[in-house]
């Protein structure tokens, strides 16, 4: 019985067919009888061109013939002899239109015809998880997965391995062939070995010129350049396969119906590209569920092939305009395919639109998260695991009815988000920060750190920019507080906006920037760009995380030091959370007044403790007295924000730092506060804003600068 070696990849252009052809010829040279079968239905004819032959019949013809004459006697009518000793060739299809005539349940019958005639049957299975692809894997004694040392190939390979494990393919029957192993600036094979749970059976170097020469001549590399590095690597691979009998397992011969049931159970009953989408079907077509899901799968496959989506540079998804153009084009394609494939099968226009949207969301978007991202009332999306997706709406957190099919699907969405920016997430790097094309901030964390499954948090980027007047209308603060804040900004007071997560710190910081004069040069520093300023003379800087190798990080502190050389009038740091706090205070103390930042803290008083801690974290050993004197001389105003129990966000305190009380204590005085008096029957917070009666120490400075502000706004009020 012949040993079946199935070769596939998850990414086009990795050299899968090249390795299959050269391996077949090398085994033939070693005295083995080889039948090479090309079942790649997406890129038709590559193997034949590399062999330098033009087949006239194919597997699709053979399967059709077997339907009519089960007792086939002339197998040689379908198999073509190559120009290389011991190697015969059988094409899967001669043109893409024949793909529909490859029947998975007939593939075993085809292989059985040649079992006794060959020592090895080498199958190029392609890269799409189609029925015929699964059938080829089911009948394999050994699976060779071709991978290249680049981020996208590794991500897709991890997804494929996860999927094969779910379908009960043992990892012991899968080996990696690392092609282009010596490419410049590639990921090391050691790193790939750590990232992927299967062994690398051979490392094939890169020799582009020799490969192109051999392909153009229709002569395999091992014949055209037998002493080349590639030829030697393929020869080693052939020797390993011949000598190590333990590599091969008994054929699985899985029931195709069972395989389809497993894939349907896992993926909402249809495969879609690299991700799996939960299907949304109306009750009135429930009885046609299977037909609709099969239809969706067929259309999706044709969409991927027709638009060559899998070969797109993933960075295109970071460009909103390009993404929209691509989606518009894909929508037209899917609409036409739906008419062509379904006809009047789906009478409801509403269901047609849902089908189109589902296919597009999974092929080009983020699947089940798309609707949540499109909802303007949602500010945060929190995926705890496949079964729990929470959102924050109007300041309140609520669970949604949406679910993922599996934790693997959550992982797929995470990888799709981070792939365009060259980031990775795996067991060695289980946390990642990223940003969507619209500016939304993303954090993801997976096992072993997350015990409940892959976790994804998205802070949506608000397109609208709130001005101070908008915040007054929303009840976040009063007009008197706004007038005071405006005077502070105009008088170049150094300000910190504090608060908890989601309390509105960045929104308030944006509102403060409204009062910065247009003739001043502003430099903003952020980890994730969220600030939206209207001034023309505005330079935006963003930190950079480390690359895949853990190098190349640019921190806020690094940016800060460079900013001081850029002649800024004001420096705005999106958030101080570490050692950059010391640099910020030093800048505020050395001529960069009017600077602003935000800090996570529970109160204005807590800001002082946080600054103490962060400065000590910088590694500079300073006495606490010196640190607090630095804070007292650098910071003028602290504005504290909070999200209350009813979900509303308010400025709960505006405080002034006015020097030191004594050697260790900073003089902090509240100017305005929000006082909560209760909660009504609907859970809405009842309270009022009031001045404390404290007059700011710089009130005379405000007047000298020509800002008209009445002392009456500082007199305590009562509701």
């Amino acid at each position: 019985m012949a040993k079946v070696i199935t070769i596939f990849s998850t990414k086009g252009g990795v050299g899968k067919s090249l390795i299959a052809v050269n391996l077949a010829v090398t085994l033939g040279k070693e005295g083995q009888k080889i039948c090479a079968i090309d079942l790649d239905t997406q890129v038709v004819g590559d193997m034949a061109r590399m062999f330098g032959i033009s087949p006239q019949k194919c597997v699709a013809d053979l399967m059709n013939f077997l339907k009519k004459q089960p007792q086939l006697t002339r197998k040689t009518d379908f198999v073509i002899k190559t120009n290389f000793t011991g190697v015969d060739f059988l094409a899967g299809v001669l043109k893409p239109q024949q793909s529909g005539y490859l029947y998975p349940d007939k593939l075993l019958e085809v292989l059985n015809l040649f079992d006794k005639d060959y020592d090895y049957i080498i199958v190029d299975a392609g890269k799409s998880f189609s029925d015929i692809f699964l059938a080829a894997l089911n009948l394999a004694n050994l699976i060779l997965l071709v991978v290249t040392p680049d981020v996208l190939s590794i991500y897709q390979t991890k997804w494929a391995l996860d999927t094969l494990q779910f379908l009960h393919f043992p990892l012991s029957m899968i080996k990696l062939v690392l092609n282009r192993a010596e490419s410049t600036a590639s990921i090391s094979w050691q790193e790939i070995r750590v990232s992927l749970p299967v062994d690398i059976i051979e490392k094939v170097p890169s020799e582009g010129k020799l490969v192109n020469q051999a392909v153009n001549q229709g002569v395999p590399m091992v014949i055209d350049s037998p002493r080349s590095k590639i030829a030697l690597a393929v020869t080693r691979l052939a020797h390993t396969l011949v000598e190590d009998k333990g590599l091969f397992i008994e054929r699985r011969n899985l029931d195709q119906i069972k395989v389809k049931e497993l894939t349907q159970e896992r993926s909402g009953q249809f495969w879609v590209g690299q991700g799996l989408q939960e299907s949304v079907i109306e009750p009135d077509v429930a009885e046609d569920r299977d037909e609709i899901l099969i239809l969706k799968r067929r259309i999706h496959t044709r969409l991927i092939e027709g638009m060559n989506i899998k070969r797109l540079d993933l960075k295109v998804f970071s460009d909103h305009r390009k993404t929209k153009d691509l989606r518009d084009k894909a929508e037209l394609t899917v609409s036409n395919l739906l008419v062509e494939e379904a006809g009047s099968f789906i009478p409801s226009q509403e269901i047609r639109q849902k089908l189109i949207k589902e296919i597009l969301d999974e092929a080009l978007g983020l699947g089940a998260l798309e609707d949540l991202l499109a909802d303007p009332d949602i500010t945060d999306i929190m995926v705890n695991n496949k079964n729990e997706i929470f959102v924050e709406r109007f300041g309140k957190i609520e669970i949604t009815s949406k679910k993922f099919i599996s934790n693997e699907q959550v992982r797929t969405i995470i990888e799709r988000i981070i792939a365009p920016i060259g980031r990775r997430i795996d067991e060695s790097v289980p946390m990642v920060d990223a940003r969507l094309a619209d500016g939304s901030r993303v954090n993801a964390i997976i096992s072993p750190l997350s015990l409940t499954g892959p976790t994804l948090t998205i802070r949506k980027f608000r397109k609208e920019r709130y001005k101070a007047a908008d915040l007054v209308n929303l009840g976040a603060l009063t007009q008197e507080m706004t007038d005071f804040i405006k005077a502070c900004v105009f008088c170049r007071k150094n300000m910190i906006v504090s608060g908890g997560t989601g309390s509105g710190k960045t929104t308030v910081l944006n509102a403060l920037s409204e009062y910065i004069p247009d003739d001043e040069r502003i430099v903003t520093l952020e980890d994730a760009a969220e600030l939206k300023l209207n001034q023309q003379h505005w330079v935006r800087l963003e930190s950079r995380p480390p690359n895949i190798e853990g190098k190349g990080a640019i921190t806020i502190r690094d940016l800060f030091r460079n900013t001081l050389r850029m002649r800024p009038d004001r420096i705005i740091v999106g958030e101080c959370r570490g050692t950059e706090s010391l640099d910020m205070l030093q800048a505020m103390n050395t001529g960069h007044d009017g600077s602003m930042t935000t800090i996570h803290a529970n109160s204005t008083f807590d800001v002082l403790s946080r600054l103490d801690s962060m400065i000590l974290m910088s590694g500079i050993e300073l006495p606490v007295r010196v640190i607090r004197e630095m804070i007292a001389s650098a910071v003028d105003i602290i504005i504290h924000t909070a999200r209350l129990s009813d979900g509303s966000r308010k400025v709960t305190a505006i405080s002034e730092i006015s020097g030191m009380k004594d050697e260790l204590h900073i003089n902090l005085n509240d100017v305005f506060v929000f006082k909560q008096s209760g909660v009504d029957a609907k859970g809405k917070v009842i309270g009022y804003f009031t001045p404390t009666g404290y007059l700011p120490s710089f009130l005379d400075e405000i007047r000298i600068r020509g800002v008209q502000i009445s002392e009456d706004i500082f007199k305590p009020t009562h509701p």
Side-chain angles (χ1 to χ4, degrees):
M1 179 180 288
K3 294 182 177 65
V4 178
I5 303 172
T6 299
I7 302 178
F8 83 99
S9 66
T10 55
K11 178 174 175 282
V14 300
K16 162 183 56 67
S17 299
L18 179 78
I19 289 173
V21 167
N22 283 276
L23 178 60
V25 173
T26 303
L27 288 170
K29 288 170 60 180
E30 298 290 329
Q32 308 295 324
K33 294 181 180 179
I34 309 298
C35 180
I37 303 178
D38 186 358
L39 287 180
D40 189 341
T41 59
Q42 292 185 305
V43 184
V44 176
D46 272 6
M47 289 186 74
R49 284 188 288 272
M50 292 179 189
F51 279 124
I53 55 179
S54 299
Q56 301 302 311
K57 292 188 178 181
C58 60
V59 174
D61 296 323
L62 177 55
M63 287 181 174
N64 188 51
F65 191 88
L66 289 172
K67 277 188 173 183
K68 300 174 183 177
Q69 288 185 260
Q71 302 301 321
L72 178 67
T73 55
R74 299 192 60 183
K75 295 175 286 188
T76 53
D77 290 344
F78 298 91
V79 175
I80 182 172
K81 290 190 174 298
T82 69
N83 299 319
F84 310 103
T85 304
V87 181
D88 293 341
F89 177 71
L90 180 59
V93 294
L94 301 179
K95 50 187 178 180
Q97 292 86 340
Q98 290 181 298
S99 300
Y101 297 99
L102 289 175
Y103 305 108
D105 55 344
K106 287 286 184 183
L107 188 60
L108 174 60
E109 191 175 344
V110 170
L111 292 184
N112 285 340
L113 289 174
F114 304 106
D115 248 348
K116 296 178 181 179
D117 299 327
Y118 299 98
D119 298 307
Y120 295 92
I121 297 175
I122 297 178
V123 180
D124 182 344
K127 57 187 177 63
S128 174
F129 271 75
S130 61
D131 287 339
I132 198 68
F133 172 88
L134 289 171
L137 295 183
N138 293 337
L139 301 177
N141 301 111
L142 174 67
I143 298 173
L144 297 182
L145 177 49
V146 182
V147 60
T148 50
D150 61 86
V151 173
L152 184 56
S153 179
I154 294 169
Y155 283 153
Q156 294 181 350
T157 300
K158 286 175 69 67
W159 170 82
L161 290 172
D162 287 344
T163 302
L164 292 178
Q165 277 189 280
F166 183 87
L167 295 174
H168 307 302
F169 283 91
L171 290 180
S172 59
M173 75 175 297
I174 306 170
K175 304 297 178 186
L176 296 181
V177 176
L178 179 61
N179 197 17
R180 301 171 194 152
E182 299 175 1
S183 298
T184 304
S186 64
I187 300 170
S188 69
W189 71 266
Q190 294 94 338
E191 192 171 0
I192 294 173
R193 179 63 188 87
V194 171
S195 300
L196 301 175
V198 292
D199 293 329
I200 299 175
I201 193 172
E202 186 57 60
K203 298 183 285 292
V204 182
S206 177
E207 291 182 294
K209 290 183 179 179
L210 293 178
V211 170
N212 291 335
Q213 174 183 307
V215 171
N216 291 336
Q217 294 177 355
V219 179
M221 279 280 298
V222 293
I223 301 296
D224 189 59
S225 305
R227 301 307 302 169
S228 65
K229 293 181 180 179
I230 291 181
L232 295 176
V234 174
T235 301
R236 287 196 302 271
L237 174 59
H239 288 165
T240 300
L241 297 177
V242 171
E243 295 169 5
D244 190 350
K245 306 299 183 184
L247 288 172
F248 299 90
I249 69 167
E250 292 297 320
R251 289 188 197 164
R252 297 167 56 78
N253 292 339
L254 291 185
D255 186 337
Q256 284 295 314
I257 295 177
K258 294 296 184 184
V259 171
K260 187 175 294 187
E261 286 176 353
L262 280 171
T263 59
Q264 288 174 348
E265 177 185 347
R266 185 185 190 206
S267 63
Q269 297 188 333
F270 71 106
W271 286 91
V272 280
Q274 296 178 39
L276 305 170
Q277 166 89 2
E278 183 177 11
S279 183
V280 181
I281 302 297
E282 292 293 319
D284 58 347
V285 293
E287 65 275 10
D288 295 323
R289 183 180 180 89
D290 291 342
E291 289 81 357
I292 289 178
L293 295 169
I294 292 171
L295 170 69
K296 288 169 65 178
R297 175 182 168 190
R298 194 161 60 239
I299 292 174
H300 185 275
T301 300
R302 292 185 61 182
L303 172 67
I304 297 297
E305 293 176 356
M307 296 187 64
N308 210 13
I309 289 174
K310 287 188 178 179
R311 293 191 178 183
L312 285 174
D313 183 351
L314 288 182
K315 291 183 179 179
V316 72
F317 296 106
S318 300
D319 187 316
H320 178 72
R321 181 182 58 79
K322 291 181 179 179
T323 302
K324 185 179 183 303
D325 291 343
L326 181 63
R327 190 177 180 97
D328 290 343
K329 183 179 178 181
E331 183 173 1
L332 180 61
T333 301
V334 172
S335 298
N336 293 334
L337 289 173
L338 191 58
V339 172
E340 181 181 329
E341 293 276 358
S344 60
F345 174 63
I346 305 174
S348 168
Q349 183 63 26
E350 181 181 356
I351 296 175
R352 282 176 177 269
Q353 289 302 317
K354 282 190 176 183
L355 291 176
I356 293 172
K357 182 179 183 302
E358 286 179 7
I359 294 171
L360 292 176
D361 283 350
E362 195 57 45
L364 302 174
L366 302 180
L369 298 182
E370 289 288 341
D371 291 337
L372 303 180
L373 288 168
D375 189 336
D377 296 331
I378 293 175
T379 55
D380 290 85
I381 301 170
M382 296 150 279
V383 181
N384 291 354
N385 52 56
K386 65 185 180 68
N387 294 320
E388 296 179 359
I389 302 179
F390 290 83
V391 298
E392 181 183 289
R393 197 192 310 265
F394 303 120
K396 300 288 286 183
I397 294 178
E398 59 189 55
I399 192 167
T400 70
S401 60
K402 292 186 177 295
K403 294 183 180 181
F404 290 98
I405 298 302
S406 64
N407 283 328
E408 286 81 3
Q409 186 184 6
V410 184
R411 179 80 171 263
T412 298
I413 294 299
I414 293 171
E415 291 175 348
R416 182 170 292 173
I417 289 171
I418 65 178
I421 58 173
R423 306 295 306 282
R424 74 169 185 181
I425 189 166
D426 52 36
E427 285 72 14
S428 61
V429 186
M431 295 187 298
V432 68
D433 289 310
R435 193 171 67 219
L436 298 178
D438 67 353
S440 296
R441 196 169 62 197
V442 178
N443 173 267
I445 184 167
I446 62 171
S447 63
L449 301 185
S450 174
L451 303 181
T452 59
T455 301
L456 178 66
T457 308
I458 301 176
R459 166 66 60 85
K460 289 176 61 178
F461 183 80
R462 300 191 69 91
K463 296 179 175 59
E464 70 275 13
R465 178 183 181 275
Y466 285 121
K467 296 184 177 181
D470 298 321
L471 299 182
V472 172
N473 293 333
L474 290 170
L477 72 171
T478 64
Q479 185 59 51
E480 290 76 15
M481 296 165 72
T482 301
D483 293 340
F484 176 65
I485 288 173
K486 179 179 179 180
C488 292
V489 175
F490 189 77
C491 293
R492 301 183 65 85
K493 296 301 173 185
N494 294 321
M495 307 174 76
I496 292 177
V497 181
S498 62
T501 301
S503 62
K505 298 186 298 297
T506 303
T507 300
V508 171
L509 192 60
N510 275 320
L512 292 178
S513 69
E514 173 188 350
Y515 301 120
I516 299 176
D518 290 333
D519 60 352
E520 295 188 11
R521 176 175 172 84
I522 307 168
V523 180
T524 60
L525 293 70
E526 299 177 84
D527 279 326
E530 291 184 285
L531 293 172
K532 296 185 283 290
L533 277 59
N534 285 335
Q535 286 80 357
Q536 181 179 0
H537 202 169
W538 170 31
V539 178
R540 308 179 71 185
L541 303 180
E542 187 177 42
S543 64
R544 184 177 71 187
N547 60 19
I548 290 176
E549 297 176 351
K551 301 177 181 178
I554 304 294
T555 65
I556 290 289
R557 191 173 195 185
D558 297 328
L559 291 177
F560 205 106
R561 291 171 177 172
N562 186 78
T563 299
L564 298 178
R565 303 184 182 98
M566 296 174 65
R567 198 249 171 241
D569 287 309
R570 297 189 193 236
I571 300 172
I572 301 179
V573 179
E575 181 180 346
C576 276
R577 63 178 72 181
T579 56
E580 69 276 359
S581 303
L582 178 60
D583 299 289
M584 184 76 189
L585 292 176
Q586 289 176 333
M588 288 176 171
N589 269 321
T590 54
H592 295 91
D593 5 337
S595 296
M596 307 173 188
T597 188
T598 71
I599 286 180
H600 276 272
N602 296 323
S603 66
T604 53
F605 184 80
D606 190 43
V607 171
L608 306 179
S609 301
R610 286 275 293 151
L611 285 172
D612 280 348
S613 301
M614 289 189 289
I615 291 171
L616 291 171
M617 284 168 53
S618 67
I620 297 178
E621 296 183 3
L622 293 173
V624 174
R625 178 181 58 81
V626 173
I627 293 175
R628 292 183 179 171
E629 285 178 353
M630 184 185 300
I631 294 171
S633 61
V635 182
D636 299 304
I637 296 294
I638 300 175
I639 301 173
H640 188 72
T641 61
R643 183 175 58 183
L644 305 184
S645 59
D646 61 354
S648 63
R649 295 173 172 87
K650 297 186 185 298
V651 174
T652 57
I654 300 177
S655 306
E656 181 197 7
I657 293 179
S658 53
M660 300 287 294
K661 285 183 180 179
D662 50 48
E663 288 189 353
L664 290 177
H665 297 91
I666 296 173
N667 197 15
L668 182 67
N669 299 290
D670 292 336
V671 182
F672 294 92
V673 295
F674 175 78
K675 292 187 176 181
Q676 182 174 340
S677 56
V679 178
D680 66 15
K682 295 183 179 180
K684 186 174 178 59
V685 169
I686 302 173
Y688 61 96
F689 296 98
T690 180
T692 62
Y694 171 80
L695 292 178
S697 61
F698 52 88
L699 196 56
D700 289 340
E701 181 185 344
I702 291 176
R703 290 168 178 160
I704 292 172
R705 287 180 176 265
V707 179
Q708 300 302 316
I709 189 167
S710 171
E711 289 188 14
D712 291 341
I713 70 171
F714 302 109
K715 292 181 180 179
T717 59
H718 300 282

